[in-house]
């Protein structure tokens, strides 16, 4: 397993995603080795069954963008598209696994080009410029995020100032039940083969064991076709997930939103917006012609 930029892209407890994968493999008697890939390190496509990148702010994105696009990007594309490797890209890492990220000032930050996505941001967000949480919420999407994926709910925390758009070759990861997601239009994340990009943070895998096992299973079957994972009890994981769903439900009710019922797991139609759209909502055309 390759862990990209652990010293730079590891906010919101992102290392917890690595620890979750390793521990769930260990419980099943599966050996999992972690290779930390930093600036300048090239990625060997055939040697990695799972690639993980965490999140970071715009300052961190600026540090890694060129290296990710030019040094690691070709290897990532070959590993996922040609060789069937799994991948998890979270937050700022998800944004840079797409075609580009347009910050509030300066030129576009190039992406790895794995996903047919792009992100537009309203202004430079380098950290430390907000005096209060109210000020931050006026410029960012901050709060619990609940997503319907493969017939179940994924939970996490979103905190981003940009809107991510999907091109014609991209498929969303799931449907937003509560929160904002990619661009406030009802979908969250993207999926390509066994690669997943998402705004779910926190970290996301400890509270979403099904997603963790999806990635582990895909990585394992790359070496052992047809392999199946033994089930795990997951009582604590389910309790943490239910607590997040309950919190999102209460927040939805507080806003007078019908999303409260959807968060409970009903199969009826869910509304598309539960938070205010941030200012980073330049039209899709900004990415459509690139």
């Amino acid at each position: 397993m390759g862990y990209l930029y652990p010293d730079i892209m590891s906010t919101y407890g992102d290392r917890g995603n690595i620890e979750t994968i390793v521990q769930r493999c260990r419980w099943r008697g599966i050996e999992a080795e972690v290779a930390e890939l930093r600036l300048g390190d090239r990625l060997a496509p055939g040697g990695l069954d799972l690639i993980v990148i965490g999140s970071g702010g715009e300052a961190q994105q600026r540090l890694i963008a060129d290296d990710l696009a030019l040094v690691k990007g070709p290897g990532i594309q070959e590993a996922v598209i040609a060789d069937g490797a799994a991948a998890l890209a979270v937050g700022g890492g998800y944004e840079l696994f797409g075609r580009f990220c347009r910050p509030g000032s300066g030129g576009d930050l190039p992406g790895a080009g794995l996903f047919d996505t792009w992100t537009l941001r309203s202004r430079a967000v380098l950290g430390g410029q907000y005096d209060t949480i109210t000020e931050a919420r006026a410029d960012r999407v901050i709060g619990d995020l609940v997503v319907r994926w493969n017939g179940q709910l994924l939970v996490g925390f979103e905190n981003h100032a940009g809107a991510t758009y999907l091109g014609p070759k991209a498929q969303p990861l799931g449907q937003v039940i509560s929160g904002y997601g990619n661009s406030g239009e009802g979908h969250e994340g993207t999926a390509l083969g066994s690669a997943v990009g998402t705004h779910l943070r926190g970290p996301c895998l400890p509270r979403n064991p099904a997603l963790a096992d999806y990635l582990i299973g895909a990585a394992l079957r790359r070496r052992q076709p047809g392999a199946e994972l033994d089930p795990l009890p997951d009582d604590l994981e389910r309790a943490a997930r239910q607590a997040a769903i309950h919190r999102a439900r209460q927040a939805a009710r507080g806003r007078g939103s019908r999303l409260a019922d959807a968060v409970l797991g009903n199969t009826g139609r869910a509304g598309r917006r539960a938070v205010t759209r941030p200012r980073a909502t330049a039209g899709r055309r900004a990415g459509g012609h690139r």
Side-chain angles (χ1 to χ4, degrees):
M1 172 170 50
Y3 184 19
L4 307 188
Y5 313 108
D7 53 337
I8 300 174
M9 302 292 286
S10 191
T11 59
Y12 300 95
D14 287 314
R15 187 173 288 274
N17 290 325
I18 298 293
E19 294 173 352
T20 297
I21 292 168
V22 170
Q23 184 60 62
R24 293 184 73 81
C25 286
R26 184 180 296 123
W27 283 333
R28 294 178 167 109
I30 301 171
E31 183 179 356
E33 297 181 355
V34 180
E36 296 188 347
L37 302 177
R38 304 171 189 271
L39 289 172
D41 294 337
R42 293 194 176 275
L43 188 149
L48 297 176
D49 301 314
L50 176 57
I51 301 166
V52 179
I53 183 171
S55 188
E58 190 170 304
Q60 288 74 33
Q61 287 181 314
R62 290 182 185 277
L63 287 176
I64 71 162
D66 287 341
D67 183 83
L68 180 63
L70 302 176
V71 178
K72 297 177 178 60
I76 292 170
Q77 292 188 42
E78 182 178 346
V80 172
I81 298 174
D83 295 344
L88 173 66
V90 177
Y94 164 38
E95 294 176 353
L96 287 183
F97 259 43
R99 290 157 55 185
F100 68 92
C101 176
R102 179 167 297 167
S105 63
D108 292 350
L109 303 179
L114 177 64
F115 301 133
D116 182 20
T117 61
W118 60 92
T119 298
L120 309 179
R121 194 170 289 136
S122 61
R123 65 173 174 135
V125 182
L126 301 179
Q129 76 273 38
Y130 299 120
D131 294 326
T132 66
I133 188 64
T134 300
E135 181 183 349
R137 286 184 182 277
D139 196 55
R140 303 180 65 82
V141 174
I142 302 174
D144 290 298
L145 177 61
V146 181
V147 179
R148 192 178 301 283
W149 169 78
N150 283 358
Q152 57 187 295
L153 299 181
L154 301 176
V155 300
F157 186 82
E158 61 180 337
N159 183 349
H160 53 104
T164 299
Y165 298 97
L166 275 60
K169 297 180 181 179
Q171 295 294 325
L173 175 65
Q175 176 194 13
V176 173
I177 299 301
S178 181
Y180 188 82
N182 284 328
S183 59
E185 296 183 354
H187 294 106
E188 157 56 19
T190 191
L192 175 68
S194 298
V196 170
T198 181
H199 291 102
L200 291 166
R201 314 184 192 198
C204 64
L205 295 187
R207 290 186 292 177
N208 296 292
L211 181 59
D213 284 352
Y214 171 81
L215 296 169
I216 294 170
L220 182 64
R221 285 188 288 274
R222 187 167 180 254
R223 302 290 176 179
Q224 303 175 29
E228 297 293 337
L229 297 179
D230 294 331
L232 296 173
D234 291 336
D235 294 338
L236 292 176
E237 291 83 353
R238 281 194 293 268
R241 179 171 157 273
Q242 286 303 120
I245 291 173
H246 176 73
R247 185 170 59 246
R249 179 189 64 197
Q250 294 300 108
R253 283 178 173 169
R255 291 188 295 268
S257 172
R258 287 180 294 178
L259 286 174
D261 291 332
V263 171
L264 285 169
N266 294 340
T267 57
R269 292 196 311 175
R272 289 189 171 185
R273 294 182 181 85
V275 295
T276 303
R277 180 186 298 269
R279 287 177 238 168
T281 53
R284 292 174 180 267
R285 297 187 185 88
H289 296 297
R290 299 189 67 87

